[in-house]
Amino acid sequence: MEAPEYLSGDKAYDSDHLNADLAASGIEMIAPNRANRRNTKDGRSRRRYLRRWRVEHLFAWLQN
C-alpha cells in the first residue's frame, strides 16, 4: 500500500516530533498551529485543512 502525500489533523497533531517523523516518511502534516506556537504554515496547507473541515461538518450534518 502506498503512503499518503498529506495527513490532515486538528491542533492536537501540531508537534515538531510528529512533523519530523512524518517528513522522514515523505508525508506532509497539515494541522493548524496551536495557540502557543508561531505560524509556520503557508496558505496552501490552510486551504487543504479548510477542505477537510467542510467534509467533516458535512458528515456530522448528515448524521444528525
Side-chain angles (χ1 to χ4, degrees):
M1 178 176 242
E2 190 174 323
E5 191 174 340
Y6 303 104
L7 182 65
S8 292
D10 57 8
K11 287 184 180 186
Y13 291 94
D14 181 35
S15 72
D16 292 332
H17 179 64
L18 180 60
N19 287 343
D21 288 348
L22 290 173
S25 300
I27 302 171
E28 179 184 352
M29 181 66 195
I30 299 174
N33 290 101
R34 291 183 178 192
N36 62 347
R37 294 170 52 97
R38 60 183 207 132
N39 189 5
T40 58
K41 309 279 193 281
D42 63 356
R44 290 173 293 164
S45 61
R46 173 95 175 128
R47 286 190 297 272
R48 287 188 183 107
Y49 181 77
L50 288 174
R51 245 183 267 142
R52 171 190 175 268
W53 181 85
R54 287 183 190 131
V55 171
E56 280 190 12
H57 280 59
L58 171 69
F59 285 124
W61 179 77
L62 290 172
Q63 288 177 352
N64 284 332

